[in-house]
């Protein structure tokens, strides 16, 4: 039969337990402090942050994702990453997600659709990370709506300039060709009547109109 511990032994055991509890509390505080620190960093990011596994289950995200999407946390937990994008972009986004898990990284531009139906252009990044033998995707999305609008405005402006240039060149080139042909005809038909100065004038007109047509081209 085992003897009961003495009073001194009990006191020693209690002290050991108190030290263990204190160590656990310290470790817990350290973990909470690190968690709070990492969450603060994530929430301070300028864009949306996401962290999900190969099955598309969200593990972590920042406040910006909630605010931009309009979806509450409990709803985001039930969503797949591609659910946030317009239907015509989902296949392309899915392919880039798979590329991250296969090759380690990728990026894509896509149209993000909020709960209210608002569409926002995003540049999205993805990196593969492995934790305890399991693969995850971590990345950020930056709003590029204004850049897209600027690009479209520049494109439209370029098209207008192109049409304007075509119109102007057409309006200038045709008369130039007409002047050239008319002067050439005049020179060929009346060269015997024209004196040297007149023939020289014809030559100069032809040369100038030909040069103008070439310049327009």
């Amino acid at each position: 039969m085992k003897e009961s511990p003495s009073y001194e032994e009990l006191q020693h055991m209690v002290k050991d337990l108190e030290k263990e509890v204190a160590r656990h509390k310290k470790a817990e505080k350290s973990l909470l402090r690190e968690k709070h620190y990492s969450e603060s960093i994530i929430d301070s990011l300028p864009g949306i942050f996401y962290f999900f596994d190969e099955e598309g289950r969200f593990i972590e995200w920042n406040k910006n994702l909630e605010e931009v999407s309009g979806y509450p946390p409990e709803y985001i937990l039930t969503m797949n990453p591609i659910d946030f994008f317009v239907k015509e972009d989902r296949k392309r986004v899915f392919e880039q997600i798979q590329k991250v898990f296969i090759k380690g990284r990728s990026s894509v531009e896509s149209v993000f659709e909020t709960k209210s139906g608002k569409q926002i252009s995003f540049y999205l990044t993805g990196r593969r990370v492995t934790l305890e033998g399991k693969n995850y995707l971590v990345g950020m999305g930056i709003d590029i709506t204004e850049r897209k609008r600027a690009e479209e405005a520049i494109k439209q402006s370029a098209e207008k300039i192109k049409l304007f240039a075509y119109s102007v060149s057409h309006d200038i080139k045709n008369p130039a060709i007409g002047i050239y042909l008319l002067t050439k005809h005049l020179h060929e038909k009346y060269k015997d009547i024209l004196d040297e100065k007149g023939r020289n004038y014809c030559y100069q007109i032809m040369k100038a109109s030909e040069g103008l047509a070439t310049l327009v081209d």
Side-chain angles (χ1 to χ4, degrees):
M1 184 174 177
K2 189 176 181 181
E3 294 182 2
S4 300
S6 65
Y7 177 74
E8 288 78 12
E9 289 175 329
L10 286 173
Q11 279 189 320
H12 186 71
M13 291 171 64
V14 168
K15 286 180 180 179
D16 286 344
L17 286 171
E18 287 175 347
K19 288 179 181 179
E20 188 66 24
V21 169
R23 191 159 48 246
H24 277 292
K25 284 184 177 180
K26 186 177 180 180
E28 187 178 351
K29 284 182 180 179
S30 178
L31 287 172
L32 287 172
R33 189 162 52 247
E34 289 179 11
K35 186 175 185 294
H36 176 72
Y37 179 69
S38 62
E39 287 177 349
S40 297
I41 292 175
I42 290 171
D43 285 336
S44 69
L45 294 173
I48 59 174
F49 171 85
Y50 38 85
F51 180 53
F52 55 86
D53 62 18
E54 288 188 272
E55 286 71 45
R57 289 189 293 262
F58 279 95
I59 309 300
E60 188 67 69
W61 60 87
N62 64 353
K63 291 290 184 183
N64 278 345
L65 181 60
E66 297 174 18
E67 293 172 1
V68 171
S69 69
Y71 291 107
E74 59 273 15
Y75 200 89
I76 292 176
L77 283 171
T78 67
M79 297 177 71
N80 187 283
I82 64 171
D83 294 338
F84 288 101
F85 302 95
V86 293
K87 290 182 178 179
E88 55 268 30
D89 283 1
R90 289 180 182 177
K91 181 181 177 182
R92 185 160 50 87
V93 173
F94 176 77
E95 289 172 348
Q96 296 309 309
I97 289 173
Q98 296 307 305
K99 185 178 177 181
V100 171
F101 287 114
I102 296 170
K103 296 190 175 181
R105 66 171 62 188
S106 187
S107 61
V108 66
E109 290 184 8
S110 185
V111 179
F112 187 100
E113 189 168 42
T114 69
K115 185 180 179 182
S116 63
K118 181 181 177 181
Q119 295 186 352
I120 307 169
S121 294
F122 266 94
Y123 173 72
L124 305 144
T125 65
R127 290 286 298 270
R128 183 186 64 215
V129 295
T130 304
L131 300 172
E132 298 179 352
K134 188 172 181 179
N135 291 327
Y136 299 88
L137 184 150
V138 61
M140 274 186 61
I142 301 295
D143 187 342
I144 57 170
T145 304
E146 291 304 318
R147 194 199 81 186
K148 284 291 187 180
R149 286 174 182 168
E151 287 176 353
E152 185 60 29
I154 291 171
K155 183 180 177 181
Q156 290 180 2
S157 178
E159 286 296 324
K160 288 179 181 178
I161 292 172
K162 184 178 179 181
L163 289 172
F164 175 74
Y166 176 79
S167 176
V168 170
S169 66
H170 182 270
D171 290 345
I172 293 175
K173 186 176 180 180
N174 280 356
I177 293 173
I179 292 170
Y180 174 85
L181 293 174
L182 182 62
T183 306
K184 183 180 180 183
H185 179 71
L186 177 68
H187 180 267
E188 290 175 350
K189 190 169 184 179
Y190 299 103
K191 62 182 177 181
D192 295 333
I193 299 174
L194 295 171
D195 58 13
E196 186 177 347
K197 184 180 287 187
R199 289 193 294 272
N200 190 45
Y201 283 153
C202 287
Y203 175 73
Q204 290 181 19
I205 293 170
M206 288 166 62
K207 186 177 180 181
S209 57
E210 186 179 25
L212 180 59
T214 302
L215 180 64
V216 169
D217 284 338

